[in-house]
Amino acid sequence: MRTCYCLSFLIWTSMLHEVHALSSPKRTNMYFQAERIMGVPKDHGKALHRTKRGWMWNQFFLLEEYTGPDTQYVGKLHTDQDKGDGNLKYILTGDGAGSVFVIDENTGDIHAAKKLDREEKSLYVLRAKAIDRKTGRQVEPESEFIIKIHDINDNEPKFTKDIYTASVPEKSRVGTSVIQVTATDADDSNYGNSAKVVYSILQGQPYFSVDPDTGIIKTALPDMSRENREQYQVVIQAKDMGGQMGGLSGTTTVNITLTDVNDNPPRFPQSTYQLSSLESAPLGTSLGRIKANDPDVGENAEIEYSIADGEGADMFDIITDKDTQEGIITVKKQLDFEKKNLYTLKVEATNTHPDPRFFHLGPFKDSAFVKVFVEDVDEPPVFNMPSNLIEVDEDAREGSIIGQVVAQDPDAAKNVIKYSLNRHTDLERIFSIHSGNGSIFISKTLDREATPWHNLTVIATEISNPKQSTQAPIFIRILDINDHAPEFDKYYETFVCENAKAGQVNVHQLIQTVSAVDKDEPPRGHKFFFELVPEYTIHPNFSIVDNKDNTAGVITRRNGYNRNKMNTYLLPVVIFDNDYPIQSSTGTLTIKVCTCDSRGNMQSCNAEALLLPAGLSTGALVAILLCIIILLILVVLFAAMKRQRKKEPLIVSKDDVRDNIVTYNDEGGGEEDTQAFDIGTLRNPEAREESKIRRDVMPETIFQIRRTAPLWENIDVQDFIHRRLKENDLDPTAPPYDSLATYAYEGNDSIANSLSSLESLTTESNQDYDYLSDWGPRFKKLADMYGGDESDQD
C-alpha cells in the first residue's frame, strides 16, 4: 500500500499595537482544514486512505504609508514537515518579492521592506514554496496568496478644472442648472470614507447653490437681471470623509455670466424732437437721427423705426441704421414752404425679436413725436405749361406769334420773370421770344422740308436775382403746306430701238416707266398725274400714258427711227399733284435712238453716229492722240535741254533790278576780337582788302581775281561809295538783284581827332581834355566830364 503525505502550512500573524489602535476592520487569518482523498482503482482491490492536510491561507492585509521604526511584519509561512532542524528552506516569488517583501528562508517570516502606497499599487500576488535543502525537492506544492494594502486618507479631492466658465439666461427660475463640477479622490472608495466627497459653496450665495452629492450648481434667486449685474464668481469646495471633521478638501472657481433675454422694450429718452429742412432739399436728404434706448444687447436690442400713418407719412421716411440702432429721417417728397412749413411726425420704435415669455411686461415698442420745420429758400421760376409742343404752318408770316410760355416765382415775393431763348438751340435765329410775357414769334421764313422740327430751350430768370433761372424745352413742329411741285424721282436714261413698232411698250429696254417724288407730305398721301405739255399733246413720235398709280409709261408712235437723221428726242412731261393748291412741274425725258438686236437688247447708241458724219474714224482719233503724245515729249526734252545750257551772267542788264537782301547772322566778337577781322582796316582805307569770291553763291567758273587801282589817296567818303557802287554794278560775279554792301569807312582824318578811348590804354600818362572847352556849347558836357585835373582827383 502506497501512502502520500501532505505538507501543512501554519501561519502565524501578529499585528502591531499601532494597527490595533486603528479603526480599520480587524485583520484575521483565514485557516481551513483540507483533506486529500486518494483514490485507488477498484481492480487493484486496494482500499482508499484519507490524509489530513496542514493549514492554508487566502490573503494578508497591510497598511499603506507605514512610518514605524522597524519593518512592517506581514506574516509567517510554516509547514508540518518543518521539524525545526533547519532542513527546510522557504522561498517567496511574485510581485515585489525580494524588493518590497522579504522572507526569512529559515523561519518563513515575511516583512515589508519599504513604505507602501495604495494609490500606486493596491495588491500584490505572491507565491510560496518549501524545499528540502539536501535534496532540493519541494516538500509541499507551490501555493499562491495575496497581500492587500489597506487605504488611509492621504489624498485630498481634486477638481477636473481649476476654473470653470458657465452661463445662464437672466430671469431664470430658481433651481435652473448652470453647470456641474466634478472632484475626484485618489483614496480607496471601497474602504472607509476616505474617497467620499461632499460639495459645498464657499462664495456666490445667495445667488447660486450646489448639490452636495452631484456638484451641480443651480440658481438660488428668482429674476436675476443681467442689466443689474452680469458677472458672478462662485467658489465650490469638495471635502472627503463625507464632509466630516478632519477630511481633506479642494476648491475651484466658477465664473458665471448671465446671458441677455429680450425683457426690456425700447424707450425714447424724450417725447418730442425738433428737426428742420430747406424746402429745396433733394429727395433722400437726411434731416437728423433719433434713438430709442434698449438695455438689452445683441439681437434683443435691434430696433425697427417707422412713421405712423398720419401727417407727414407721405412726405418723410425713416430708415434704421443697423450699426448704431438709430432712426434716420429723410425727405421722401419735394417740400414746399409756401404750401406747408411744419410737419408733426409720430415715430415708433419696435423690437424686431420679441420674446413671448415677457409679453406680460407690456408692449415692446415706444413712440415719440418729431416736428419738422420747413425753411424757405429763394427758388427758381417754375414753368406752368399744359404742353411743350407747338405746331405752326410753314407758311406762317414773319413776326406772327406761334405760342406762349408762362413761368412764375414760387416764392412769396413773386419776383418778375424775364424770358429768353438759349441760342445754342436756335443758331439760325429763326424764333424769338418776348422777354416780358413769354410769347414766341417767328423771325425768319420757315421751311418744313429743310427742318421739320425745332427744339428750343426757353430760359426763365428772376430779374431781381439772375442766378435763379429755369430752363424748359419747347418742341416746335412745322406743319406742311403744298409749296413744292412734284418732279421725276431720278434722271432717266431712255432709249428706243431703230426698229421699234408703234404701240409696243417695252418696260425694261425700249420705253421707260417713270415715277415722281414730292418734298411735301400731304396727310392723305401723294397722288400724281402725268401728261404731255399742251404743245406736244399730239406728238408725232411718242406719247405718255398715266398708270393711275403715280407712274406713267412712254409709248412709241412710229414704226421705226433713224438715228442718222435724229439720234435724240426730247419729251417734256407735266407732273401734277392732288393737294391744295395744286403744284405742277415739267420734266424733260431724253430719249436716244439705239441699234438693238432681234430681242430688243441695246447694242450701240449715238457715239458712232455722231462721229461718222464728221468724217472722223477710229484711225483718225488714234493719229490725233499720237500727235499729242509726241508734242508733249518734245516739250519735256526742250525743258531738259534748257536746264543743261550754260548759265548767263547773274545780271545781264541794269534794268533787271529786283529786291534781294542777303542776311548773314554772323555776330562779331567785339573790339577785342582780332581773329574775325582787322578793325584797323576798317578805319584805315590804305589797308586794302583783296577781292574775294562771293560766299552767298557758288560760281560755276573761277574768274580771274580782279585787282582795282588804289583809290584811297585824298578821297572823300561820298566818292568812295559811288565808286564802290559802280564796281558792283559792272561786276558780273556780284549777286543778283539788289544787295546791301556795307563799308565801315570814316574818310580822312578829322581836325577834332578821335574821341575814342581805345588808344588811351597804350599810355600811362593822363590825357589833356581842356581843348574840349574851345569847341563851343555843344561839347560843354564832355568838357565838364573829362576836363580838369582837379575834378578827376575829386
Side-chain angles (χ1 to χ4, degrees):
M1 181 176 178
R2 187 177 180 180
T3 304
C4 295
Y5 297 93
C6 296
L7 175 64
S8 299
F9 287 91
L10 182 62
I11 302 172
W12 292 274
T13 59
S14 61
M15 304 300 294
L16 299 177
H17 63 281
E18 292 90 348
V19 177
H20 290 287
L22 295 175
S23 61
S24 58
K26 186 178 295 183
R27 182 173 297 173
T28 60
N29 292 324
M30 298 178 65
Y31 299 95
F32 63 91
Q33 192 174 26
E35 296 180 351
R36 177 176 294 179
I37 302 174
M38 306 298 296
V40 180
K42 294 182 179 181
D43 54 358
H44 290 154
K46 298 178 181 179
L48 297 177
H49 180 70
R50 182 187 301 268
T51 60
K52 184 177 181 181
R53 187 169 184 168
W55 297 104
M56 300 185 63
W57 64 87
N58 182 15
Q59 61 183 4
F60 295 146
F61 293 95
L62 193 65
L63 289 177
E64 67 169 337
E65 303 293 343
Y66 174 72
T67 58
D70 299 327
T71 59
Q72 190 174 5
Y73 182 73
V74 178
K76 183 180 181 62
L77 298 180
H78 187 73
T79 178
D80 295 340
Q81 301 297 328
D82 188 359
K83 304 301 183 180
D85 55 1
N87 191 32
L88 296 182
K89 179 182 179 181
Y90 295 95
I91 298 175
L92 185 65
T93 60
D95 294 340
S99 59
V100 178
F101 301 100
V102 294
I103 188 171
D104 190 335
E105 60 183 14
N106 295 320
T107 63
D109 294 329
I110 301 173
H111 292 81
K114 59 175 64 176
K115 185 171 61 175
L116 303 178
D117 188 354
R118 189 202 66 83
E119 286 72 31
E120 293 181 1
K121 193 172 181 64
S122 60
L123 59 88
Y124 296 86
V125 179
L126 299 173
R127 290 177 296 277
K129 60 184 177 179
I131 61 175
D132 191 336
R133 292 179 183 272
K134 296 179 179 180
T135 62
R137 292 187 303 171
Q138 293 186 8
V139 296
E140 286 288 353
E142 185 179 55
S143 192
E144 183 178 278
F145 65 96
I146 297 174
I147 299 178
K148 284 190 175 183
I149 309 302
H150 273 184
D151 182 47
I152 64 173
N153 191 17
D154 59 343
N155 292 279
E156 73 276 4
K158 291 184 178 180
F159 286 92
T160 57
K161 294 181 181 179
D162 294 335
I163 297 178
Y164 289 84
T165 301
S167 61
V168 63
E170 63 174 335
K171 303 291 184 182
S172 296
R173 297 179 180 178
V174 176
T176 301
S177 297
V178 180
I179 190 175
Q180 182 179 14
V181 295
T182 303
T184 59
D185 196 322
D187 294 328
D188 189 2
S189 59
N190 298 321
Y191 182 75
N193 293 327
S194 299
K196 186 177 181 180
V197 178
V198 175
Y199 300 95
S200 62
I201 184 169
L202 300 181
Q203 177 182 327
Q205 293 176 332
Y207 308 103
F208 299 96
S209 62
V210 63
D211 189 293
D213 297 326
T214 62
I216 298 177
I217 300 175
K218 302 178 181 179
T219 57
L221 283 181
D223 298 333
M224 286 192 295
S225 176
R226 183 200 64 82
E227 288 74 27
N228 296 332
R229 183 176 177 181
E230 184 176 4
Q231 298 290 337
Y232 294 87
Q233 190 176 73
V234 178
V235 178
I236 302 296
Q237 182 189 64
K239 190 174 183 180
D240 59 11
M241 297 298 293
Q244 299 178 4
M245 185 73 68
L248 303 178
S249 64
T251 60
T252 188
T253 301
V254 182
N255 294 324
I256 301 176
T257 302
L258 293 184
T259 58
D260 185 60
V261 296
N262 194 3
D263 59 338
N264 294 283
R267 290 289 182 263
F268 284 103
Q270 57 192 72
S271 59
T272 304
Y273 297 85
Q274 291 185 358
L275 301 175
S276 62
S277 172
L278 298 176
E279 63 174 335
S280 61
L283 301 184
T285 301
S286 174
L287 304 183
R289 294 171 175 253
I290 60 175
K291 184 177 182 180
N293 298 325
D294 191 333
D296 296 326
V297 294
E299 68 175 14
N300 298 322
E302 292 181 0
I303 301 174
E304 186 70 27
Y305 295 90
S306 61
I307 298 178
D309 294 337
E311 181 182 357
D314 57 338
M315 302 298 295
F316 301 92
D317 196 4
I318 187 169
I319 58 178
T320 303
D321 189 337
K322 298 299 182 181
D323 297 329
T324 62
Q325 296 301 316
E326 294 177 321
I328 306 173
I329 299 177
T330 60
V331 178
K332 186 177 181 181
K333 287 186 178 180
Q334 191 63 49
L335 302 176
D336 191 348
F337 173 83
E338 287 70 26
K339 291 183 179 179
K340 192 175 181 65
N341 57 10
L342 176 61
Y343 294 88
T344 302
L345 311 178
K346 183 180 180 181
V347 178
E348 293 183 349
T350 308
N351 275 141
T352 57
H353 300 86
D355 193 337
R357 297 178 299 173
F358 305 101
F359 282 170
H360 64 279
L361 299 178
F364 279 77
K365 66 179 182 179
D366 194 15
S367 61
F369 292 96
V370 179
K371 293 184 178 181
V372 181
F373 295 90
V374 180
E375 299 178 358
D376 188 23
V377 296
D378 190 3
E379 299 176 275
V382 177
F383 282 94
N384 184 15
M385 296 182 296
S387 175
N388 289 14
L389 176 63
I390 299 176
E391 294 182 343
V392 57
D393 294 331
E394 66 174 324
D395 61 346
R397 293 178 300 174
E398 296 182 11
S400 58
I401 298 176
I402 61 173
Q404 184 181 15
V405 295
V406 178
Q408 295 179 350
D409 184 9
D411 299 322
K414 302 298 180 183
N415 294 322
V416 180
I417 305 301
K418 179 182 70 174
Y419 302 92
S420 61
L421 286 178
N422 186 348
R423 287 303 175 184
H424 293 287
T425 60
D426 185 25
L427 298 177
E428 298 179 0
R429 297 182 176 270
I430 299 176
F431 302 94
S432 298
I433 189 170
H434 192 281
S435 62
N437 57 22
S439 299
I440 300 175
F441 55 91
I442 301 173
S443 300
K444 292 183 180 180
T445 304
L446 302 177
D447 187 359
R448 189 204 65 83
E449 288 70 29
T451 308
W453 285 88
H454 295 270
N455 300 326
L456 306 180
T457 299
V458 179
I459 303 174
T461 307
E462 293 184 9
I463 295 180
S464 60
N465 187 7
K467 294 183 179 180
Q468 296 296 336
S469 63
T470 305
Q471 297 184 359
I474 301 296
F475 308 104
I476 301 177
R477 179 184 180 185
I478 309 301
L479 301 179
D480 183 43
I481 62 171
N482 192 25
D483 58 344
H484 290 83
E487 57 187 11
F488 286 123
D489 60 342
K490 63 180 180 178
Y491 174 75
Y492 291 96
E493 293 183 356
T494 308
F495 68 93
V496 62
C497 294
E498 284 185 307
N499 57 354
K501 296 180 180 181
Q504 292 181 346
V505 178
N506 193 331
V507 177
H508 298 289
Q509 296 181 5
L510 297 178
I511 300 304
Q512 185 72 50
T513 298
V514 296
S515 61
V517 293
D518 193 340
K519 295 181 179 179
D520 297 322
E521 292 182 359
R524 295 186 300 273
H526 292 290
K527 182 63 177 177
F528 302 127
F529 304 95
F530 301 86
E531 64 181 30
L532 295 177
V533 295
E535 303 90 79
Y536 292 84
T537 304
I538 303 175
H539 200 281
N541 297 307
F542 306 95
S543 64
I544 191 165
V545 176
D546 194 339
N547 297 327
K548 306 302 182 181
D549 59 354
N550 294 338
T551 63
V554 179
I555 301 176
T556 61
R557 300 188 63 183
R558 291 175 55 180
N559 291 332
Y561 299 88
N562 189 348
R563 58 182 178 141
N564 293 327
K565 294 180 180 181
M566 179 68 71
N567 62 350
T568 302
Y569 294 91
L570 300 179
L571 183 65
V573 179
V574 180
I575 308 174
F576 301 90
D577 59 15
N578 194 30
D579 204 357
Y580 180 82
I582 297 176
Q583 299 288 343
S584 65
S585 66
T586 301
T588 302
L589 292 175
T590 301
I591 304 175
K592 295 182 180 181
V593 180
C594 302
T595 59
C596 303
D597 57 12
S598 59
R599 296 182 179 180
N601 296 324
M602 181 183 65
Q603 292 181 341
S604 63
C605 286
N606 57 347
E608 186 177 352
L610 292 175
L611 292 175
L612 288 177
L616 294 178
S617 62
T618 304
L621 290 176
V622 173
I624 292 173
L625 291 177
L626 289 176
C627 292
I628 293 174
I629 293 174
I630 293 173
L631 182 59
L632 291 176
I633 293 174
L634 291 176
V635 172
V636 173
L637 291 175
F638 179 77
M641 292 175 64
K642 187 176 180 180
R643 303 187 73 169
Q644 296 296 331
R645 292 175 57 189
K646 184 177 181 181
K647 291 185 178 180
E648 296 181 356
L650 296 174
I651 299 179
V652 179
S653 174
K654 293 183 178 180
D655 297 333
D656 187 11
V657 177
R658 284 166 286 181
D659 292 338
N660 179 34
I661 299 177
V662 181
T663 302
Y664 299 91
N665 294 321
D666 188 8
E667 183 177 356
E671 295 178 349
E672 297 180 358
D673 185 6
T674 59
Q675 300 296 327
F677 57 87
D678 187 1
I679 193 169
T681 306
L682 298 178
R683 296 190 178 87
N684 189 3
E686 295 180 357
R688 302 188 318 176
E689 180 181 2
E690 297 181 354
S691 299
K692 297 181 180 179
I693 301 175
R694 299 288 299 183
R695 292 179 295 175
D696 54 342
V697 296
M698 184 176 71
E700 296 181 358
T701 60
I702 301 177
F703 292 89
Q704 184 72 22
I705 297 176
R706 179 171 57 88
R707 299 182 181 273
T708 58
L711 300 176
W712 322 113
E713 292 79 18
N714 299 324
I715 189 170
D716 189 67
V717 174
Q718 185 176 5
D719 294 337
F720 170 78
I721 294 175
H722 283 298
R723 293 187 183 187
R724 280 297 190 187
L725 180 60
K726 185 176 181 180
E727 289 177 3
N728 281 276
D729 292 339
L730 297 177
D731 188 5
T733 63
Y737 321 124
D738 289 346
S739 61
L740 180 64
T742 303
Y743 302 95
Y745 174 65
E746 294 181 354
N748 294 330
D749 296 340
S750 173
I751 60 174
N753 295 327
S754 175
L755 297 179
S756 175
S757 62
L758 293 176
E759 297 178 357
S760 64
L761 297 176
T762 59
T763 177
E764 297 180 357
S765 62
N766 295 329
Q767 298 184 15
D768 187 11
Y769 296 99
D770 294 337
Y771 60 89
L772 295 175
S773 302
D774 301 333
W775 289 5
R778 293 184 178 181
F779 296 90
K780 186 177 183 303
K781 187 65 176 178
L782 292 175
D784 295 339
M785 294 175 61
Y786 293 95
D789 295 337
E790 297 179 359
S791 63
D792 291 340
Q793 292 176 359
D794 294 337

